[in-house]
Amino acid sequence: MEKTTVKKSSLSVSENGLERKKGKKRLEVLKTYKIYINGQFLRTESGRYYQPVNAAGEKLANVCLCSRKDFRDAVVAARSAFGGWSSRPALNRGQILYRMAEMLEGRKAQFVEELQRQDVSKTKAEKEVLLTVDRLIYYAGWCDKYQQIFSTVNPVSGSYFNFSVPEPTGVVSIIAPQDYPLLGLVSVMAPAIAGGNTCILLASEKKPLCAITLAETLHASDLPPGVVNILTGKLSELIKWFAEHMDVNATVFCENDVETQKMLKEKSALNVKRMIFYDNIKWETEQGQSPYFIFDLQETKTTWHPIENIGFGGGAY
Amino acid sequence: MKKKQKNILPRKSNTLKLSFDTSWTYAPAPESRTSATIQPRYDLFINGKWTKPESGKYFETINPANEETLSEIAEANAADVNKAVAAARNAYEKYWKKLPAKERGKYIFRIARMMQEKSRELAIIESLDGGKPIRESRDFDIPEAANHFFYYAGWADKLDYAFPGKKTASLGVAGQIIPWNFPLLMAAWKIAPALATGNTVVLKPAETTPLTALKLAELIQEADLPPGVVNIITGAGETGAALVQHPDINKIAFTGSTEVGKMILRAVAGTNKKLTLELGGKAANIIFEDAPLDQAVEGIINGIFFNQGHVCCAGSRLYIQESVANTVIRKLKDRIETLIVGDPLDKNTDIGAINSKKQLETIHYYIKTGIQEGAEIYESSCRLPSKGFWCKPTLFLNVAQSSRIAQEEIFGPVLAILTFRTDDEVIEKANNTPYGLSAGVWTDKGSRIFNMTRKMRAGVVWANTYNKFDPTSPFGGYKESGFGREGGLHGLMPYLHLSNLIPNSTRK
């Protein structure tokens, strides 16, 4: 009680109304970490929160403990954003991903500091942030190229023009890797949206801070509302909704946890959801990026059209 | 004012009704049964030999056109499945895996060639066992099956070029379960890519149509394929379940109903089995007012009545733009009167027998449901044979979007007809289904074709054509119609393990 009083009195208000520190330290302004749904920063509808703690025992922040309803709201947002995002010019999607990288680059220090607060060493934190920026640029470049890698013109017998192209699977629910709270999340988010999908991400449970700060940079990157939605909360509580929802087309899960994988796959049968497991990927390596991550969240559409032979040209054209 | 009213009166179609009411009849033109040999009894094809089933049981396969028994078929139980998987594993480890890719390819080419040689016999047996018109089995099923083997044979030694940046490796033993609607063709769709990619196979054909798969086993024996590389076991759902659950299988490929597909999905949960599912569909076939209507009507007929409507990608929901709805419906009614329903072996037959009694009951159930839900039924006036399983070509008019006959897969010659006014409206209606296998669009306007084909959430879209297939053309669904592709370069992927060519080094 005594101590608190002392601390409070370490601040006083000067004559001209400005705060002035008596001691060396200025009182820190704590950030409220809100979830990101449909381009808005919201509190969870449940009103619940949790306080992740770092190794030193410091409480990191009050973080939203999202509910099933938050997830459902996010799916509605993602579904309404899908048509617009998937039919945007690929070049434009690339430019928005590049813009994300630019915005992240400008806020490197903030992410490094946040990672450090979440028990990542300075060297590793710096490396993770730089890799994250580069990974966004990597996928920015793929936005208008993967289609050419994965498309075919099929030499069918008979007089038809026939081609196959990748198209986004739709709404993707993603449980971001628990390790690499920033790089991991971006490594699974970027291929999803580069390919025209919209997504709902669940941030690392123990290290959720960067995910929300990332949402703020995404928000300033011309990303349309609803394309990326970021939730925080308990993995064990939310995971089954991620796999059960009937308007989700695919789910990505990154932990090497056989029991959970089994549960997810069983749930996926409800609407034949595409269930994608990245349980053995080292996100900090070259292995962590590839156009095949984009292709995993694509459907292949084949289109046929007759070719009519008109006239008498025969072979002479 | 009066003049204006005159102008907005619906324009009468200037097409004349085609005269089908002449006394023209077709003389019977049956294909001879004598060029097909069917053994009175078939055992299981395991490790290159015909093996009596451990179960000791046999079931009959009948001709759905006259209900006569064609042959007795062994019923594989879990022990038989175990034997077949062990044979496939052994062949994989000891031989097939080590065989140079180009030699593997040559075996597959050989199967394709022998299938062409035996195509007449295979076509007859396909029509006898499954009830499909001989014209379809002769001109479509068998040649397409042979072409499928021929196409994938060539891939065997070219896999390095298929997936940029990736090294490919075979998976091991593939368990494959196929349906009764295109028995030999589905066997080819499954076996050809599996062998080309270096896997060995245990295949289970459907219990109502096992004969051509067993003829394929004879052919594979003649082709001198190493024992155990392809094993063909027969039985019903329980045999399939034993195959799906076998722990030494690396890959399951299934074509069939969405309901069974979901069961398989649950059964492989928690295992490392790679899975492809090709499931049901309820395709929209969309006719715009500017479409060449007579061609479109042919496309609608082919879309729903091809193979008695036993087609997962059948165009079973017809959307007609309101302005031409009356014309198109009249033409459709006229056209179904001309369809010849009857003996599958007759070369003039358009619509053969329904595959099984059970399927006929399902179709009748949906016809009853459609009537109960208030849709207006129109059937061809054709006469049906007294024996066997038959269904008249059937149209349902005034169908609601929410009606079960517009939402659920019937898998028979029953067409639900709906109308629309605008492009956006029909896009929404067409996509309003849990399925996403195929769709059809009929219009003369190129830009509209591309808008429509892009916005259909379906794996195969036919524009100004319908029900076309090719070994080079990837086939498979969106949403609850399954995942994975069969055919083309894309059809290799489900049978391969892809690993990075780039070393997994940590970046500096």
Side-chain angles (χ1 to χ4, degrees), chain A residues 172-190:
Chain A
V172 185
S173 65
I174 304 173
I175 294 117
Q178 296 298 299
D179 298 332
Y180 292 107
L182 178 65
L183 176 65
L185 184 129
V186 167
S187 299
V188 285
M189 175 198 80

Side-chain angles (χ1 to χ4, degrees), chain A residues 160 167 169 274 292 301-302, chain B residues 453 456-457 459 468 478 482:
Chain A
Y160 296 93
E167 284 188 350
T169 295
R274 283 78 174 118
Y292 289 86
K301 177 182 278 178
T302 300
Chain B
T453 57
M456 290 297 107
R457 299 291 291 159
K468 293 287 177 285
Y478 285 31

Side-chain angles (χ1 to χ4, degrees), chain B residues 192-464:
Chain B
L195 296 187
T197 48
N199 301 281
T200 58
V201 163
V202 179
L203 175 97
K204 188 196 89 70
E207 67 270 29
T208 60
T209 55
L211 289 180
T212 44
L214 294 163
K215 290 305 270 189
L216 175 63
E218 285 178 1
L219 186 154
I220 281 169
Q221 219 175 9
E222 274 178 59
D224 247 350
L225 203 70
V229 171
V230 174
N231 304 275
I232 295 177
I233 55 169
T234 39
E238 274 179 43
T239 315
L243 189 59
V244 167
Q245 282 159 12
H246 198 287
D248 201 28
I249 279 186
N250 305 94
K251 157 84 194 174
I252 297 287
F254 171 76
T255 298
S257 72
T258 292
E259 189 193 351
V260 176
K262 288 178 176 180
M263 280 158 61
I264 292 175
L265 199 42
R266 289 190 190 98
V268 303
T271 71
N272 285 326
K273 286 171 195 162
K274 208 169 165 167
L275 183 65
T276 35
L277 297 173
E278 203 271 88
L279 310 176
K282 190 76 192 177
N285 201 358
I286 301 164
I287 318 295
F288 284 95
E289 60 184 2
D290 65 344
L293 293 187
D294 288 316
Q295 281 177 43
V297 165
E298 289 311 303
I300 299 164
I301 294 288
N302 176 48
I304 185 62
F305 299 122
F306 178 56
N307 200 33
Q308 297 74 248
H310 302 327
V311 186
C312 45
C313 52
S316 51
R317 273 188 299 156
L318 176 64
Y319 287 97
I320 316 173
Q321 197 156 28
E322 260 183 26
S323 47
V324 290
N326 288 339
T327 314
V328 171
I329 290 168
R330 203 196 66 230
K331 283 170 183 282
L332 274 175
K333 286 179 174 174
D334 289 349
R335 184 67 177 88
I336 64 170
E337 282 300 319
T338 70
L339 294 171
I340 302 170
V341 184
D343 182 8
L345 282 190
D346 193 308
K347 291 163 195 161
N348 289 324
T349 294
D350 294 310
I351 296 183
I354 298 302
N355 187 270
S356 67
K357 195 176 173 198
K358 197 179 147 205
Q359 187 54 33
L360 185 60
E361 281 164 4
T362 306
I363 296 167
H364 283 160
Y365 167 77
Y366 275 110
I367 289 177
K368 219 163 71 186
T369 307
I371 295 166
Q372 279 167 0
E373 282 179 331
E376 181 193 326
I377 187 170
Y378 183 86
E379 286 176 323
S380 155
S381 65
C382 65
R383 256 179 294 167
L384 299 179
S386 56
K387 267 188 141 183
F389 316 126
W390 306 93
C391 181
K392 289 180 180 177
T394 304
L395 310 175
F396 269 107
L397 313 175
N398 297 324
V399 179
Q401 175 78 18
S402 60
S403 171
R404 286 183 67 195
I405 56 166
Q407 287 288 326
E408 297 174 22
E409 185 175 39
I410 301 172
F411 226 62
V414 182
L415 180 66
I417 303 177
L418 302 92
T419 59
F420 70 96
R421 287 183 182 172
T422 67
D423 298 39
D424 286 345
E425 176 194 352
V426 77
I427 289 167
E428 201 176 320
K429 282 180 164 174
N431 285 333
N432 184 3
T433 161
Y435 295 114
L437 189 54
S438 58
V441 180
W442 297 81
T443 166
D444 235 8
K445 198 173 172 189
S447 55
R448 177 182 267 160
I449 289 174
F450 285 113
N451 179 44
M452 292 300 297
T453 57
R454 263 170 67 159
K455 287 183 178 155
M456 290 297 107
R457 299 291 291 159
V460 185
V461 185
W462 288 287
N464 293 326

Side-chain angles (χ1 to χ4, degrees), chain A residues 6-25:
Chain A
V6 175
K7 265 199 176 171
K8 266 190 179 168
S9 65
S10 70
L11 268 183
S12 66
V13 179
S14 68
E15 280 167 34
N16 59 9
L18 289 173
E19 283 180 7
R20 186 193 279 165
K21 282 174 265 181
K22 267 189 184 169
K24 265 189 174 178
K25 280 196 174 171

